[in-house]
Amino acid sequence: MVTAFAPGKCILFGEHAVVYGQPAVAVSIDAGVEVTISESSRWILEGKPFEPSRHPHISHIINDIFEYTGRPLEIDIKSELFSAAGLGSSAALSNSMGAALHHFVRPNEPLDLISLARIGHSAEANAQKGRASPTDTATSALGGCVVVSGDRVKGTQHFFDATLETPEGSRSWSISKVELPEIEDVWLVLGFTGIGSPTGDMVAGVSELLKSDPLKMKEIEAIGEITYSGLRALSSGNMEEVGHAMNECQERLRKIGVSSPELENLISATESHSLGVKLTGAGGGGCMVSLTRNPQRVAECIEIAGGRPLVSKFGSGGARIVIEEN
Ligand code: PMV
């Protein structure tokens, strides 16, 4: 039996602008997805017969990536993440499945996190008709603070490049990490609006806006500049500056129409206790994120305002094997 864990993620800077070549910065969070696999006499998922067509991420990893032909498996999934909330739950599922199966098939080969990030990205792309950015899977696999960009980003440590053939042509990304200094008394608190975050629709909406009002491209460029200053603040551990950059980023995200009354409700409920607060991910619904020295207070404010809070320390670890029994 093997149990693997992979964390969810939250985007600190650069959502939407990354679609136009600017960098995005994401951090792994404490909550994630745990997958346990063990040998069985039948294929079972979550206590029921496994139907591969209903679980494209898992079946792609078993059949296409590992080409597994061994005895049937029983697969159990425990998720601490809100789904369709922009926290990377399908990436965390793919990575924890990939990590667990890797360890099950090759128990003596250590887990290479870059290969795992590629497995997760392949599973996401396969499930999403060839369209998937590597942001969620790379952040979940590597952990910490991950930068995804069209080009290499100065001042970061390059880890790998990812390429994907999409229906719109070939796309490629450079993935790097920023080593965070010791950050002790600052937490992230996510607040889920309870409304699904439709990434495809939100990205299409921004594209329409830019077509009808090309001057809005200056907001995208401003998000790029804010992302660079946020990155510098992160590297030097200046969390007040990180928070300030988050607030500025939110201003620009409003101007491109991706915030919503539900997100603004949670943002205004928490801003007086936050160093910075913004929506995270595609927007519309999904989550906001607060950077704070007072996580309990922020979590309470989110609950009182009708949202669902999730507290995380800053820059938690990446995918890992948590239990292994013969
Ligand atoms: O909500 P998420 O985690 O899928 O984030 C979407 C981020 C976007 O920049 C809006 C889209 C993308 O592909 O990067």
Side-chain angles (χ1 to χ4, degrees):
M1 186 192 91
V2 181
T3 300
F5 171 84
K9 68 88 183 58
C10 103
I11 298 181
L12 281 186
F13 302 109
E15 49 272 270
H16 289 289
V18 67
V19 175
Y20 300 90
Q22 304 289 346
V25 180
V27 287
S28 55
I29 59 174
D30 294 344
V33 176
E34 218 174 71
V35 168
T36 299
I37 56 180
S38 47
E39 267 187 7
S40 167
S41 54
R42 292 175 300 137
W43 280 92
I44 297 175
L45 179 73
E46 295 284 81
K48 300 197 183 111
F50 176 44
E51 291 177 50
S53 61
R54 294 189 55 195
H55 302 282
H57 299 85
I58 291 179
S59 60
H60 178 71
I61 289 170
I62 295 171
N63 299 316
D64 305 334
I65 307 254
F66 284 88
E67 298 177 342
Y68 178 79
T69 53
R71 291 193 51 193
L73 300 174
E74 176 164 355
I75 304 163
D76 278 305
I77 302 165
K78 265 197 230 152
S79 179
E80 303 161 322
L81 298 169
F82 310 123
S83 55
L87 299 183
S89 62
S90 63
L93 170 66
S94 303
N95 283 350
S96 50
M97 180 65 202
L101 192 55
H102 169 91
H103 204 76
F104 188 83
V105 177
R106 298 171 201 134
N108 299 321
E109 257 182 53
L111 185 62
D112 160 16
L113 294 178
I114 293 177
S115 305
L116 181 65
R118 293 189 191 284
I119 290 172
H121 190 207
S122 170
E124 291 252 89
N126 175 68
Q128 298 171 25
K129 302 194 176 77
R131 294 184 187 93
S133 117
T135 310
D136 293 12
T137 41
T139 309
S140 170
L142 304 176
C145 181
V146 170
V147 183
V148 175
S149 178
D151 298 312
R152 298 227 176 158
V153 177
K154 263 199 193 152
T156 65
Q157 190 194 348
H158 177 256
F159 265 62
F160 69 104
D161 293 318
T163 310
L164 187 66
E165 294 310 319
T166 75
E168 290 77 34
S170 178
R171 283 200 66 188
S172 52
W173 298 268
S174 169
I175 289 117
S176 54
K177 277 189 79 172
V178 174
E179 277 320 315
L180 298 172
E182 280 292 305
I183 297 170
E184 298 241 301
D185 57 345
V186 174
W187 284 262
L188 295 169
V189 186
L190 285 308
F192 183 35
T193 56
I195 301 168
S197 178
T199 303
D201 294 354
M202 299 308 291
V203 169
V206 173
S207 157
E208 285 305 312
L209 177 75
L210 292 171
K211 262 186 228 146
S212 64
D213 184 358
L215 284 179
K216 289 277 184 199
M217 192 49 98
K218 75 177 191 324
E219 308 299 343
I220 298 286
E221 287 157 8
I223 292 176
E225 279 161 29
I226 294 164
T227 301
Y228 282 110
S229 59
L231 263 178
R232 281 192 296 274
L234 275 169
S235 313
S236 61
N238 184 339
M239 302 313 273
E240 274 71 20
E241 272 305 310
V242 175
H244 181 67
M246 287 168 69
N247 290 337
E248 290 211 323
C249 193
Q250 175 62 18
E251 272 298 307
R252 306 298 173 154
L253 291 166
R254 285 183 185 122
K255 290 189 177 156
I256 56 168
V258 295
S259 196
S260 67
E262 292 82 2
L263 284 163
E264 291 298 329
N265 172 39
L266 298 184
I267 289 170
S268 60
T270 52
E271 61 196 350
S272 60
H273 304 290
S274 303
L275 299 172
V277 56
K278 62 184 275 293
L279 68 84
T280 179
C287 290
M288 46 66 80
V289 59
S290 155
L291 184 76
T292 181
R293 298 196 194 279
N294 196 347
Q296 280 325 106
R297 188 81 190 97
V298 169
E300 279 161 24
C301 292
I302 289 170
E303 272 186 335
I304 291 166
R308 288 158 70 188
L310 194 60
V311 177
S312 175
K313 66 178 178 296
F314 201 86
S316 56
R320 53 202 177 258
I321 301 298
V322 287
I323 305 173
E324 182 191 349
E325 280 169 19
N326 292 319

